[in-house]
Amino acid sequence: MWTFSRKRLHRLEAAWQQPASHSPNFPWVARYYDAVQHEPAYHRLPDQTWEDLNGESLFGLLDATVSRVGQQCLYHRLRSPLADEAALHEFDAAATLLAQQPGARGQALLALDQLTADETYFLADLISGEPLPALPGARFVPLLALGLLATLVGGFWLPVLWMGTGAFALLNAVFHFRQRTRIQRMVRPLMQLGRLHRAGRKLHRAALPLRPLQPLAAPLARLRGVLRQITFFQLDDNSGVLELLKMLLLLDQLVYHRCRAAVQRQAPAIRTVFEAVGYVDCALAVASFRQRYVTCVPHFGPAAEGIRLQAGYHPLVPGCVPNDLTLSGQGVLLTGSNMAGKTTFMRMLGINALLAQTIATCPATAYRAPFCRVLTSLSLADSLPTGKSYYLVEAETMRQLLLACDAAPGSYLLLLDELFKGTNTQERIAATKAVLAYLQPHSWVVAATHDGELGALLNSCFVEYHFCETVTEDDWYFDYLLKAGPLTTRNAIRLLARLHYPAQVITDAQALSATLSIRARPSSPAELSSLADSTR
């Protein structure tokens, strides 16, 4: 027995150190998050921001969990940032403990290994306090069972009643077989409660110094009463007598009705055990991530100190070039050509802010910032099912951001990529300038654009940075380093030449670009200032 446990622990340790990549079933992984997202919280990451930050890929990178419960709790944690410094420090301490103490980690791994079946995902259905689905015709079940027993016993005095027994037996058999598949489906989460109870009990007995494990004694005791009823569904009788009794007396239906009431009554206890087990598994996953990547523990300060990021990188980009950024008072306007790194940089900033407030871990060497809610507009698309154009989707998304910042000013980090690019140049610049000028006093704003005119129009409230590339006759390359100031070079047409576009195309494009540049250039700096003032 000891040899088997040792081999199992060796396997679990190897998987924890280098988790294999896999594609989880996200509708199942999200069941816990979906069940509780209506509850009050500091922030719930919207679907658009989750997609913009490549949330599913980020989850896959972090997912070194052992159990399905841990997977669900990790997904919920990543989409539910906190503004509680004490809770984040506590989680950091838990991840540090499990990383540094192999004995404690081994106990946790062995306890969690009981919850690996896919049916475990359905435990999340039991924690909301909502009753399990009722069986159709459930109110008739006691009458049908009593009718069969009454006619059976009464037949010894009045044999004609046994005809009724036969009728009840036929009716009950039909009722039983019609509902058997439905019951099997609905008791799936109940069948996993025993495994959850055993995992919680082992973690509690391990006496790990983790706060969520301390109050588990009472919830575990309350669950024992529920488990005694659930064991009925696990009984197996090779002789077939039990199955015959289940069919004639509708025992499955009667026991399910009792379990349904008991589970609803003990939902708080189930949730306490579920979340404690998931907490330990999340801490294990984060400890694994910290060993595989360069990370730091975030520090949180007042809004007046701004956001300071040092050597931040995107963990999903192999060989990502680290960059620094300081956001203090003014917003940031990013310029640069496509593929130069603007959007990746903004995603990197959003991921650092998100991970800081969810798992107390940042892919950087230093991170200090106030608590903030991350919202993005980085990868919008038109909607064929609803008939919405790209521009309408953009406009609706920005309206939601404006309303959010009005409702809670000073608490948002907004990452915006090329606003209103679904419309013409003149109105795009005007609308973008107006929106950014409105948002900047209400939030932290980092916006990327190809419109160099915006730098001069917003120079009072935004500081400019840029990414650039080097194009030669033989090659082009990007250094992906953030540089102060506006972009002063234009290489798009030179890149077309590098791709061997026809010479006439290149010549015409260069000539027209020069002409348009002269026409668009204001006659003096005062004209730009006047233009900015006139739009206020």
Side-chain angles (χ1 to χ4, degrees):
M1 185 68 177
W2 169 247
T3 303
F4 173 74
S5 295
R6 187 169 55 185
K7 289 182 177 179
R8 188 158 63 103
L9 179 58
H10 180 73
R11 171 180 59 80
L12 292 170
E13 277 278 359
W16 174 78
Q17 292 172 359
Q18 290 294 331
S21 59
H22 56 280
S23 299
N25 188 328
F26 277 100
W28 288 6
V29 171
R31 290 181 81 91
Y32 170 55
Y33 174 75
D34 292 339
V36 302
Q37 67 169 313
H38 65 280
E39 297 176 356
Y42 171 70
H43 186 46
R44 302 287 188 199
L45 210 65
D47 290 343
Q48 181 63 52
T49 301
W50 179 250
E51 293 172 7
D52 284 344
L53 298 181
N54 306 115
E56 292 189 359
S57 298
L58 182 64
F59 173 86
L61 188 72
L62 288 163
D63 184 20
T65 56
V66 180
S67 69
R68 301 296 184 253
V69 172
Q71 268 192 328
Q72 291 178 313
C73 289
L74 178 62
Y75 181 90
H76 171 265
R77 179 173 285 271
L78 290 177
R79 295 200 63 168
S80 306
L82 303 174
D84 186 339
E85 189 168 1
L88 291 167
H89 283 324
E90 189 176 76
F91 185 79
D92 164 51
T96 302
L97 169 76
L98 293 172
Q100 295 179 350
Q101 296 189 17
R105 183 170 66 247
Q107 289 177 303
L109 290 170
L110 289 171
L112 294 166
D113 193 39
Q114 302 180 67
L115 295 167
T116 58
D118 286 344
E119 287 78 7
T120 311
Y121 286 123
F122 297 96
L123 280 169
D125 299 343
L126 307 179
I127 66 173
S128 65
E130 295 293 325
L132 292 173
L135 293 171
R139 64 182 181 274
F140 301 116
V141 170
L143 297 177
L144 293 172
L146 287 174
L148 184 141
L149 289 174
T151 55
L152 178 65
V153 174
F156 289 100
W157 287 272
L158 190 61
V160 72
L161 291 179
W162 281 335
M163 295 179 63
T165 302
F168 273 112
L170 180 61
L171 185 60
N172 289 3
V174 172
F175 196 86
H176 170 78
F177 285 111
R178 289 191 63 178
Q179 294 199 344
R180 183 170 61 175
T181 302
R182 183 181 286 110
I183 291 176
Q184 289 173 348
R185 184 175 67 250
M186 291 190 294
V187 301
R188 277 194 296 181
L190 301 180
M191 304 289 277
Q192 297 300 316
L193 265 182
R195 292 179 178 271
L196 178 67
H197 182 270
R198 286 195 294 274
R201 187 178 59 197
K202 286 188 175 183
L203 289 172
H204 183 62
R205 289 177 176 175
L208 302 177
L210 305 179
R211 184 192 56 78
L213 297 179
Q214 309 308 317
L216 280 189
L220 288 170
R222 286 197 292 271
L223 284 188
R224 281 198 292 270
V226 181
L227 293 175
R228 282 193 291 269
Q229 299 181 40
I230 295 172
T231 53
F232 174 80
F233 295 106
Q234 298 172 311
L235 296 177
D236 191 15
D237 179 22
N238 294 329
S239 66
V241 175
L242 180 60
E243 186 62 30
L244 181 62
L245 291 175
K246 286 182 177 182
M247 178 183 69
L248 296 178
L249 299 178
L250 301 177
L251 296 180
D252 281 345
Q253 288 81 353
L254 291 169
V255 174
Y256 174 76
H257 180 71
R258 294 193 60 184
C259 287
R260 182 171 174 264
V263 166
Q264 184 178 8
R265 190 168 55 250
Q266 299 300 341
I270 296 172
R271 180 168 184 173
T272 299
V273 179
F274 182 98
E275 292 178 346
V277 169
Y279 185 94
V280 175
D281 212 352
C282 287
L284 278 170
V286 172
S288 172
F289 177 73
R290 289 178 175 181
Q291 292 202 352
R292 291 178 283 128
Y293 291 87
V294 175
T295 62
C296 69
V297 176
H299 296 278
F300 301 98
E305 295 183 4
I307 298 174
R308 298 180 182 179
L309 177 68
Q310 182 177 336
Y313 68 95
H314 198 311
L316 293 172
V317 178
C320 184
V321 175
N323 275 294
D324 302 342
L325 179 69
T326 298
L327 267 172
S328 180
Q330 293 181 305
V332 168
L333 199 63
L334 294 175
T335 53
S337 62
N338 291 323
M339 302 186 300
K342 303 187 303 298
T343 307
T344 299
F345 175 81
M346 288 191 291
R347 286 193 171 106
M348 177 274 293
L349 181 59
I351 285 175
N352 270 275
L354 174 65
L355 298 186
Q357 294 178 219
T358 54
I359 62 171
T361 304
C362 294
T365 58
Y367 176 92
R368 183 175 180 83
F371 289 108
C372 56
R373 302 169 174 91
V374 181
L375 292 179
T376 64
S377 176
L378 301 178
S379 56
L380 302 178
D382 57 0
S383 176
L384 291 177
T386 60
K388 293 181 180 180
S389 67
Y390 183 89
Y391 179 73
L392 182 56
V393 172
E394 280 187 302
E396 290 181 344
T397 300
M398 288 311 304
R399 178 178 177 275
Q400 294 301 319
L401 265 62
L402 290 167
L403 292 175
C405 291
D406 284 341
S411 66
Y412 283 93
L413 171 62
L414 304 181
L415 306 173
L416 313 173
D417 189 17
E418 298 184 48
L419 296 184
F420 306 117
K421 61 183 178 183
T423 190
N424 62 80
T425 302
Q426 180 178 339
E427 291 187 307
R428 178 178 68 247
I429 294 174
T432 301
K433 185 269 174 187
V435 167
L436 294 181
Y438 182 86
L439 287 174
Q440 190 276 328
H442 294 75
S443 55
W444 307 97
V445 183
V446 179
T449 182
H450 285 290
D451 298 314
E453 299 89 339
L454 286 170
L457 293 171
L458 293 166
N459 62 1
S460 62
C461 54
F462 277 78
V463 59
E464 289 190 79
Y465 289 89
H466 71 274
F467 291 91
C468 62
E469 73 283 357
T470 300
V471 180
T472 66
E473 295 297 330
D474 301 319
D475 200 2
W476 79 90
Y477 63 90
F478 304 92
D479 59 18
Y480 303 112
L481 289 172
L482 183 68
K483 303 174 181 65
L487 182 67
T488 57
T489 60
R490 295 185 177 183
N491 290 322
I493 298 176
R494 293 179 62 190
L495 183 56
L496 299 183
R498 175 69 185 81
L499 293 173
H500 306 295
Y501 272 54
Q504 183 178 350
V505 172
I506 301 302
T507 301
D508 290 349
Q510 288 175 334
L512 183 57
S513 176
T515 301
L516 293 175
S517 179
I518 293 173
R519 290 180 181 177
R521 187 180 302 127
S523 57
S524 67
E527 184 176 335
L528 272 178
S529 178
S530 175
L531 179 60
D533 291 339
S534 68
T535 60
R536 291 173 185 165

